[in-house]
Amino acid sequence: MEQTFDQRVWQAVALIPQGKLATYGQIAELIGAYGCARQVGWALRRLPLPSDIPWHRVVNARGCISLSPSREGSDWMQRDLLLSEGIPVDEEGRLPLGPYRWHPPG
DNA sequence: AGAATGACGCTGA
DNA sequence: TTCAGCGCCATTC
């Protein structure tokens, strides 16, 4: 089954267990596209909400939510979802990426 | 077709 | 530690 880049990203993100965090680079590398971290962000941006994909568990390598005007505030929704999963998020969108880091399969 | 964009990552200061 | 610059590559105009 030939899937688009976006679908591969969504599949990888769907593997993230609840209460865990993953970075765009991790997802990119997981789908065999190391260096395409930006494209992962696009896939999530095109992701229709609401969706069954735990996109809120994906943050950048800095360990903070990527705020952007293009998200129309969906970034703050991500913060709320993370708090709902027991992950403390700072007002600046920063979170403890280390302890909550997801260990990808493979 | 060519140029610009972007929910990133890494290195250097 | 934080800030700025450069590189990566698919999508879009």
Side-chain angles (χ1 to χ4, degrees), chain A residues 24 45 65-76 78:
Chain A
Y24 297 95
R45 172 179 169 273
I65 300 172
S66 297
L67 279 66
S68 183
S70 301
R71 301 183 63 178
E72 289 283 322
S74 67
D75 40 23
W76 296 111
Q78 177 174 10

Side-chain angles (χ1 to χ4, degrees), chain A residues 15-87:
Chain A
L15 298 176
I16 307 174
Q18 190 244 346
K20 290 291 182 179
L21 297 173
T23 66
Y24 297 95
Q26 271 188 287
I27 301 302
E29 187 177 7
L30 186 62
I31 65 179
Y34 178 77
C36 298
R38 312 203 70 172
Q39 280 65 294
V40 175
W42 280 346
L44 299 180
R45 172 179 169 273
R46 301 175 67 176
L47 188 65
L49 271 58
S51 65
D52 302 324
I53 309 300
W55 54 271
H56 54 272
R57 295 174 190 154
V58 184
V59 297
N60 53 12
R62 291 179 179 177
C64 61
I65 300 172
S66 297
L67 279 66
S68 183
S70 301
R71 301 183 63 178
E72 289 283 322
S74 67
D75 40 23
W76 296 111
M77 182 171 68
Q78 177 174 10
R79 176 176 173 275
D80 190 50
L81 288 167
L82 290 173
L83 289 171
S84 185
E85 296 201 349
I87 299 176

